[in-house]
Amino acid sequence: MSDNRKQIDLAKDTLKVFSERGEDMSDVRHVVHYSYGGNFHALGSSLAELGYSVRPTVNSDGIIAERHEAIGDEWRTTTLSHLCELADTYNVEYDGWEASMTRHQPRPANAPQRNQRVSLLSRIFGRKH
């Protein structure tokens, strides 16, 4: 197994964190991929053809590819696997990915609704019940 393909196994733990935090894995979210070295220009061209937005890294020693997609175990074994294979083709180090989380902790029952106004005095002294 190439070093790049190890990223597929590492993604299991990351996806587990998403699930534990209540993320809906069918939600489309912003996903960013990092690759360095090798023929990263050719890899970037291939990724652009697949619909990724591609730009150079800060030091111009690799690329950052991003798009919005649903992640999950099927994504890990298909899309992520394909990205690792592409990186191997161009002798590029696939350095991993990150994605945004959209779920938040439930609001406490006594918390004001987002569009409900709360006066300064009630913030200081608490709300009357």
Side-chain angles (χ1 to χ4, degrees):
M1 177 186 291
S2 74
D3 286 339
N4 289 333
R5 303 242 350 127
K6 290 177 184 175
Q7 291 289 339
I8 299 165
D9 289 332
L10 291 173
K12 282 182 188 178
D13 293 334
T14 306
L15 293 171
K16 183 179 176 185
V17 170
F18 275 76
S19 292
E20 289 171 350
R21 301 233 173 148
E23 290 294 311
D24 181 345
M25 301 313 262
S26 66
D27 284 352
V28 173
R29 66 189 73 239
H30 185 228
V31 183
V32 182
H33 303 272
Y34 302 93
S35 300
Y36 298 93
N39 191 353
F40 62 84
H41 294 292
L43 174 62
S45 294
S46 291
L47 292 175
E49 288 175 12
L50 294 173
Y52 288 88
S53 172
V54 180
R55 60 187 161 92
T57 58
V58 172
N59 295 325
S60 297
D61 56 351
I63 57 168
I64 299 169
E66 53 194 312
R67 73 178 180 187
H68 289 80
E69 54 195 340
I71 61 174
D73 201 53
E74 184 178 339
W75 170 86
R76 183 184 68 81
T77 59
T78 57
T79 302
L80 187 58
S81 179
H82 183 66
L83 292 177
C84 291
E85 289 170 7
L86 274 175
D88 284 343
T89 299
Y90 296 109
N91 197 31
V92 172
E93 176 190 352
Y94 178 76
D95 196 34
W97 61 278
E98 63 183 52
S100 58
M101 288 191 175
T102 57
R103 301 287 179 255
H104 303 283
Q105 294 297 325
R107 295 174 82 59
N110 62 350
Q113 297 297 319
R114 291 180 187 222
N115 58 357
Q116 182 181 354
R117 290 190 173 277
V118 178
S119 71
L120 177 59
L121 291 176
S122 66
R123 284 188 216 160
I124 295 170
F125 298 111
R127 298 182 64 175
K128 292 182 182 179
H129 297 282

